[in-house]
Amino acid sequence: MRLVIARCSVDYAGRLTAHLPSAPRLILVKADGSVSIHADDRAYKPLNWMSPPCTLKEGDGQVWTVENKGGEKLIITLEEVLHDSSHELGVDPGLIKDGVEAHLQELLADRIETLGEGYSLIRREYPTAIGPVDILCRDADGQTVAVEIKRRGEIDGVEQLTRYLELLNRDPHLAPVKGIFAAQEIKPQARVLATDRKIGCVVLDYDGLRGIEDDKLRLF
């Protein structure tokens, strides 16, 4: 990961235009190719970003151009670089889920038909370079499906699934890969973002899944 703290302005050109005036900011360039611009507020949310796959051209060192495959561009004009360092973080072990999320994953993998008739499991915790996908499966038509499971479905979960989909769709043995965002509760903003990115949403009934499990183990 490369960390650059600089006084800069940022222009976005794509489906719309946006401008960030000159100010000190943090620029993150990650190993997956993503570039994000941060201020010293807004918690983890960037002011602007470009998701992979994308390319970064530094030009003469004062103007960076980040472009994705759709032709959208982030143009970062550096006025003063205060810090520039790179760090090797290695492969991340991924998020360790709490007991409910882990159990939801286990139950859903065991009853993958909950997602739809004809679904079949490929595997749980499918490994990728940016962490494991909760469930990888196939639908009735044989298309690969990546499932991200949360207890509470919020925007960051949709963003996480989006990153997995971008990576998985580079694999010709899996592509095309579609996504399903599954949670006990899905926030309206997360549902809107998922719909915009053509990601399906499924509300999981934890008690219902556990009830199915109890019936399965009953001997009479």
Side-chain angles (χ1 to χ4, degrees):
M1 178 183 291
R2 184 177 176 187
L3 309 176
V4 178
I5 299 174
R7 177 173 291 278
C8 62
S9 60
V10 183
D11 292 278
Y12 166 79
R15 290 169 291 180
L16 47 81
T17 59
H19 174 72
L20 294 174
S22 176
R25 297 190 176 93
L26 169 65
I27 305 170
L28 296 182
V29 183
K30 295 187 178 181
D32 64 1
S34 64
V35 178
S36 57
I37 297 97
H38 298 258
D40 198 11
D41 62 4
R42 298 166 58 93
Y44 61 88
K45 294 184 178 180
L47 296 165
N48 216 327
W49 69 94
M50 191 70 75
S51 299
C54 58
T55 57
L56 168 61
K57 295 181 181 178
E58 297 192 32
D60 61 1
Q62 299 302 309
V63 179
W64 292 8
T65 301
V66 187
E67 184 173 2
N68 66 14
K69 61 182 180 181
E72 297 172 297
K73 294 181 180 179
L74 277 182
I75 300 171
I76 306 169
T77 303
L78 303 174
E79 299 168 12
E80 180 185 8
V81 176
L82 306 172
H83 176 85
D84 188 344
S85 64
S86 296
H87 308 270
E88 180 60 53
L89 302 185
V91 177
D92 190 88
L95 178 68
I96 299 175
K97 295 182 175 290
D98 66 23
V100 172
E101 287 186 8
H103 198 203
L104 277 171
Q105 183 191 116
E106 179 183 349
L107 289 170
L108 188 57
D110 192 40
R111 296 164 182 85
I112 200 67
E113 67 278 0
T114 303
L115 299 177
E117 186 177 352
Y119 271 70
S120 59
L121 179 69
I122 296 175
R123 68 167 290 177
R124 292 171 53 196
E125 299 288 330
Y126 185 87
T128 77
I130 57 174
V133 177
D134 287 339
I135 290 177
L136 199 69
C137 57
R138 288 192 177 90
D139 65 14
D141 298 321
Q143 183 174 356
T144 309
V145 183
V147 184
E148 178 64 25
I149 299 170
K150 298 293 184 187
R151 191 165 46 139
R152 291 179 45 147
E154 302 191 57
I155 284 178
D156 57 347
V158 179
E159 294 284 8
Q160 183 180 359
L161 179 54
T162 299
R163 293 192 292 271
Y164 287 142
L165 290 171
E166 288 171 344
L167 190 64
L168 292 169
N169 272 300
R170 299 182 201 175
D171 187 338
H173 297 99
L174 297 175
V177 184
K178 65 181 181 180
I180 291 179
F181 189 50
Q184 288 180 271
E185 174 192 3
I186 299 178
K187 296 295 184 180
Q189 300 92 333
R191 188 179 291 275
V192 169
L193 182 60
T195 300
D196 182 67
R197 297 183 177 179
K198 297 180 172 55
I199 292 172
C201 292
V202 173
V203 176
L204 298 174
D205 182 351
Y206 183 43
D207 291 335
L209 285 172
R210 287 190 297 172
I212 293 171
E213 181 181 55
D214 291 340
D215 289 341
K216 186 176 180 180
L217 297 175
R218 191 175 298 153
L219 298 178
F220 54 88

